[in-house]
Amino acid sequence: MVKHTGENYYISTAIAYASGKPHIGNTYEIVLADSIARFRRMQGYQVYFQTGTDEHGQKIENKAEEKGCTPQQYVDDVASEIHRIWDLMNTSYDKFIRTTDAYHVRQVQKIFKKFYEQGDIYKGHYEGWYCTPCESFWTDSQLVDGKCPDCGRPVTRAKEEAYFFRMSKYAPRLIEYINEHPEFIQPVSRKNEMMNNFLLPGLQDLCVSRTSFKWGIPVDFDDKHVVYVWLDALTNYITGLGYDADGNSSEQYKKFWPADLHLVGKDIIRFHTIYWPIFLMALGEPLPKQVFGHPWLIQADGKMSKSKGNVIYADDLVNLFGVDAVRYFVLHEMPFENDGVISWELMVERLNSDLANTLGNLVNRTISMSNKYFGGIVEDKNVNDPVDDQLKSVVTETAGKVEEKMKGLHVADSITEIFALFKRCNKYIDETMPWALAKDETKKDRLATVLYNLAESITIGASLLEPYMPETTERILKQLNTGKRDYADADKFGLYKSGTKVTEEPEILFARQDLKDVMEKVEEIRKGQKATSGEAAQSGTAGEGADAAGEEKPEIHVEPKAEITYDDFAKMQFAVGEVLECREVPKSKKLLVSQIKFGDQTRQIVSGIKKWYKPEEMVGKKVMCLINLKPAKLAGLESQGMILAAEDSEGNVTLMTPEKDMPSGSGIS
Ligand code: MSP
């Protein structure tokens, strides 16, 4: 394999909001980043891996007040908890930055001043709707049903003197950059979302200071203001490396900037692909090479809530299954683009089948048989069979396949490739039947060769597994009494030293577990959580990154309307329509206009669903509509009916569609 010795690689995670203990969803991101960082190190890169905590903002100020401590004490506690969990998960970050670090604070002040002096920031007034959890201002037209368009929570009216950043000045350059660098925003679907929903309709200037609370970095030339939390947080990616706004940046900065990869959740991709690049352009610094918006880890039994006692924390999982099993679950269960689902049943299933059976048994059998038949000595006697070639080709091709998948950040698929190697080894045992060979003295050398081939294959597989399950790699290689295979040689077969003596007592890598026992322990954890659910809140509802997995939401209150008679109801004509065409309404942030077929007629319907549906997704859908509503003009277009949709308390919207396919025009009653 080709090594990249001497090349640099900078990877970062989002910095976690220091508002509470991170749950398994937040933890997933650092483990994902760690697997990529470790993989690059294995390839020979000199890696710089940065993570940390985002510690300012009104939400934290409020939480500290509730708890009766200073915001600094509050974030000190939470940051150390986050630190502890990142370490527990065996993540190999090089730097843990905190936005309360003195160096960071000083640089943010300098950056703000620089923007002001060069005319990118100006002072004005902001009057609008403010969403406290998101720390964001919205205009009337941006609200969705009177609520925050990002998190769906209520907003309050606010007027503030504020500083603004001239986003629009840089927008054309950013559009050009994104078009010229198709790899910049990944996955590609996110790129289209950013372009179509934000950049192309026109960027508004961004409010970058606040006066309504104190817990932030003061604007040093106007200390009534604190710096907007996202301007503060995003700059961590350069201040952590030693960037200096006065031009005295560190060698480290010169070596590693621009970052190769900012790994962030799908919810905060906008900040990283629009605001952050624009701030960098204003600083005259190069842009990161790639921003990857990963999907979310969702829990199978609904949203996590402390009062339900179903929040999954990494440390509870580690106590039950061990660090590497947890790393395996989260990395293996996460698809590239769609959210991944985690459940106790699935974890137990993976533990028993993939980890205990496929991997654990393979290592155990190989070592036990080597001890039983050869006193632990593994020797290549070169008595070959065509079946060996099949094994060898799978084993030697694995590194290349893993590299290919990792290049596109398809981490789950890389792990699948490595487990395909282990599965092939198990098949090889079934094919060669060492226990049968052992019965025939003349086949002794063949038996030795088979066990050698297995030891060599496991060495390669275990070495490739290191980025994902580092402890397991170490434990396997220790039992095989060998070192990690250099990546350059991961596609060569036969380097395991013939004559090596393996351990006498193979250890159980992963003990099988019974779902019933696990669920009993889970019940205990749940009771503990419920008992403390009134205590410190959990994290995840951070910045604009409201966290569906971590949020505790009350049941929706259904507000009763005045009773109607059947005759009232019968006046309304509902029908199934098929969307033939759909496009965005020019200059509207919310509206799509669709041509919808109802049997032998077609109607034009304008609806406020642009935030949830792309025009191309609409085409071909069968939707339920009210068709005898008096036509009305919306954004200058006539709307001849209404598409029905459900909306939850957070403002999430989903279209009503027939449960089974029905012809367009079918009536609904
Ligand atoms: N503080 C901001 C990031 C600032 S970066 C300059 C923030 N913090 S957060 O704590 O809310 O989220 C940290 C990361 O965890 C984000 O990338 C977010 O998308 C991710 N996740 C939060 N919940 C998650 C899941 N359920 N699953 C996967 N990732 C999740 O946003």
Side-chain angles (χ1 to χ4, degrees):
M1 300 299 295
V2 177
K3 295 262 300 229
H4 295 260
T5 315
E7 290 177 51
N8 300 321
Y9 187 83
Y10 172 15
I11 177 171
S12 66
T13 64
I15 46 172
Y17 234 89
S19 53
K21 179 174 172 175
H23 53 66
I24 191 65
N26 310 114
T27 313
Y28 158 69
E29 183 173 300
I30 182 90
V31 174
L32 180 68
D34 184 58
S35 70
I36 299 166
R38 285 177 183 269
F39 184 77
R40 292 287 177 157
R41 286 195 200 104
M42 185 162 90
Q43 285 185 304
Y45 286 92
Q46 188 172 357
V47 171
Y48 175 78
F49 171 17
Q50 182 170 302
T51 185
T53 39
D54 184 357
E55 305 191 350
H56 292 120
Q58 181 156 29
K59 191 170 170 213
I60 288 175
E61 190 175 90
N62 295 347
K63 289 205 162 209
E65 201 181 314
E66 276 166 31
K67 208 178 164 197
C69 63
T70 64
Q72 187 63 55
Q73 284 164 338
Y74 186 87
V75 294
D76 284 349
D77 282 355
V78 178
S80 75
E81 182 70 353
I82 294 176
H83 220 133
R84 185 183 70 78
I85 292 179
W86 282 194
D87 289 345
L88 174 73
M89 294 312 297
N90 199 4
T91 57
S92 60
Y93 54 85
D94 298 291
K95 166 96 182 171
F96 189 102
I97 188 174
R98 298 180 54 187
T99 54
T100 50
D101 288 344
Y103 182 80
H104 173 81
V105 170
R106 188 70 205 110
Q107 289 304 322
V108 170
Q109 289 178 320
K110 283 195 198 178
I111 290 169
F112 196 95
K113 195 162 178 199
K114 186 177 167 127
F115 287 159
Y116 182 69
E117 285 170 354
Q118 69 194 27
D120 285 323
I121 283 182
Y122 62 92
K123 196 170 180 172
H125 271 95
Y126 204 104
E127 186 162 8
W129 298 101
Y130 190 63
C131 175
T132 305
C134 294
E135 318 253 10
S136 287
F137 271 111
W138 304 105
T139 59
D140 282 311
S141 65
Q142 285 173 319
L143 297 183
V144 175
D145 290 332
K147 301 211 177 107
C148 171
D150 268 357
C151 73
R153 279 175 276 217
V155 286
T156 48
R157 193 76 193 154
K159 181 174 179 178
E160 278 188 28
E161 177 188 278
Y163 286 91
F164 290 86
F165 190 99
R166 291 184 209 282
M167 284 288 154
S168 46
K169 174 175 158 191
Y170 294 94
R173 257 174 73 189
L174 181 58
I175 292 173
E176 198 180 307
Y177 183 87
I178 293 174
N179 283 333
E180 282 171 6
H181 296 83
E183 72 298 342
F184 176 55
I185 307 178
Q186 289 296 319
V188 178
S189 55
R190 311 253 186 247
K191 172 190 154 192
N192 302 339
E193 196 182 313
M194 292 304 116
M195 280 295 226
N196 299 337
N197 296 359
F198 300 103
L199 281 166
L200 297 176
L203 272 190
Q204 294 188 352
D205 288 354
L206 179 71
C207 180
V208 287
S209 76
R210 301 284 187 266
T211 52
S212 53
F213 62 93
K214 283 267 158 266
W215 184 240
I217 299 181
V219 173
D220 58 355
F221 55 90
D222 191 352
D223 64 9
K224 207 167 93 190
H225 293 257
V226 294
V227 175
Y228 174 45
V229 74
W230 275 99
L231 172 52
D232 163 0
L234 287 163
T235 54
N236 91 84
Y237 298 125
I238 54 176
T239 60
L241 268 177
Y243 168 82
D244 176 47
D246 290 336
N248 300 314
S249 296
S250 68
E251 284 310 310
Q252 172 102 324
Y253 178 75
K254 290 175 197 150
K255 184 166 166 188
F256 286 105
W257 190 258
D260 292 86
L261 179 63
H262 287 324
L263 190 68
V264 301
K266 60 179 187 176
D267 56 320
I268 55 171
I269 196 143
R270 172 160 64 100
F271 297 90
H272 286 81
T273 59
I274 298 181
Y275 300 157
W276 179 225
I278 287 183
F279 293 148
L280 285 165
M281 283 176 179
L283 288 175
E285 296 297 320
L287 306 195
K289 293 179 203 157
Q290 190 166 79
V291 177
F292 181 81
H294 63 74
W296 269 20
L297 192 68
I298 303 294
Q299 209 186 305
D301 65 347
K303 286 180 183 170
M304 292 190 229
S305 141
K306 265 196 148 187
S307 57
K308 278 195 227 155
N310 70 345
V311 184
I312 301 185
Y313 292 115
D315 41 3
D316 289 333
L317 288 182
V318 168
N319 288 338
L320 283 170
F321 303 115
V323 174
D324 274 6
V326 179
R327 288 178 64 111
Y328 179 79
F329 299 148
V330 296
L331 293 174
H332 184 257
E333 292 320 312
M334 289 300 285
F336 181 67
E337 227 158 322
N338 302 322
D339 290 338
V341 179
I342 190 165
S343 69
W344 296 103
E345 290 77 5
L346 193 72
M347 286 190 270
V348 172
E349 153 77 18
R350 293 281 184 250
L351 177 82
N352 291 342
S353 88
D354 300 3
L355 301 180
N357 272 1
T358 304
L359 178 55
N361 257 350
L362 169 67
V363 176
N364 194 286
R365 286 203 287 173
T366 303
I367 290 177
S368 302
M369 288 191 289
S370 299
N371 275 301
K372 186 167 172 195
Y373 303 132
F374 298 103
I377 305 290
V378 177
E379 226 175 332
D380 185 7
K381 294 283 191 185
N382 268 314
V383 180
N384 300 316
D385 184 282
V387 74
D388 299 358
D389 296 334
Q390 291 171 22
L391 172 78
K392 288 177 193 175
S393 76
V394 168
V395 171
T396 53
E397 280 166 17
T398 302
K401 288 184 181 163
V402 169
E403 180 170 306
E404 195 49 40
K405 304 283 184 208
M406 286 303 281
K407 221 197 273 169
L409 302 177
H410 288 267
V411 174
D413 295 344
S414 315
I415 301 181
T416 302
E417 291 296 348
I418 300 169
F419 273 75
L421 179 158
F422 296 135
K423 282 185 185 147
R424 186 63 190 84
C425 290
N426 281 320
K427 189 170 168 218
Y428 181 73
I429 296 181
D430 296 343
E431 288 163 344
T432 54
M433 296 192 290
W435 52 91
L437 295 174
K439 288 190 186 134
D440 183 344
E441 194 51 34
T442 64
K443 305 246 168 81
K444 204 137 194 218
D445 284 355
R446 171 66 190 146
L447 175 60
T449 307
V450 164
L451 291 174
Y452 175 87
N453 287 343
L454 285 168
E456 167 65 341
S457 304
I458 295 171
T459 301
I460 294 176
S463 301
L464 290 173
L465 196 62
E466 193 272 344
Y468 320 97
M469 302 171 72
E471 244 178 50
T472 304
T473 300
E474 214 178 286
R475 288 168 71 200
I476 296 174
L477 296 181
K478 198 165 156 220
Q479 294 185 66
L480 288 173
N481 194 11
T482 186
K484 205 177 111 187
R485 182 65 44 87
D486 191 275
Y487 190 68
D489 296 327
D491 54 355
K492 301 183 183 76
F493 201 91
L495 296 177
Y496 183 82
K497 200 159 164 271
S498 183
T500 302
K501 187 170 186 323
V502 298
T503 187
E504 275 172 32
E505 287 293 321
E507 63 161 320
I508 308 274
L509 287 174
F510 300 96
R512 289 180 64 83
Q513 295 218 31
D514 186 61
L515 180 61
K516 206 167 135 263
D517 296 342
V518 169
M519 290 318 289
E520 275 167 18
K521 291 180 192 146
V522 169
E523 212 29 64
E524 287 304 306
I525 297 171
R526 287 187 171 159
K527 276 191 205 144
Q529 260 185 38
K530 282 186 200 160
T532 58
S533 66
E535 291 171 13
Q538 68 192 76
S539 78
T541 51
E544 300 225 7
D547 180 353
E551 258 296 74
E552 185 169 345
K553 304 253 162 50
E555 290 285 18
I556 296 176
H557 170 64
V558 181
E559 194 62 50
K561 288 189 177 173
E563 215 169 68
I564 59 167
T565 62
Y566 180 77
D567 289 345
D568 294 328
F569 170 70
K571 281 186 197 153
M572 293 188 274
Q573 187 177 11
F574 297 103
V576 175
E578 181 177 357
V579 181
L580 301 178
E581 285 170 34
C582 180
R583 62 186 169 83
E584 293 181 358
V585 173
K587 295 204 187 109
S588 165
K589 287 212 160 105
K590 293 192 203 163
L591 301 177
L592 295 181
V593 54
S594 310
Q595 305 302 322
I596 305 184
K597 178 177 181 320
F598 297 94
D600 56 3
Q601 50 169 275
T602 301
R603 287 166 180 264
Q604 169 168 294
I605 300 187
V606 180
S607 31
I609 52 172
K610 185 166 158 188
K611 185 161 180 250
W612 301 276
Y613 293 93
K614 298 196 182 86
E616 59 275 20
E617 271 177 74
M618 290 294 293
V619 176
K621 271 200 197 314
K622 294 267 178 72
V623 285
M624 300 194 203
C625 300
L626 177 62
I627 55 172
N628 62 338
L629 191 67
K630 191 171 170 205
K633 282 218 159 161
L634 294 173
L637 296 172
E638 183 169 87
S639 184
Q640 302 156 329
M642 184 189 271
I643 303 180
L644 304 186
E647 181 180 353
D648 68 14
S649 60
E650 294 161 17
N652 298 311
V653 164
T654 186
L655 292 175
M656 296 289 92
T657 54
E659 191 241 332
K660 294 198 178 71
D661 191 36
M662 293 294 281
S664 78
S666 305
I668 302 172
S669 51

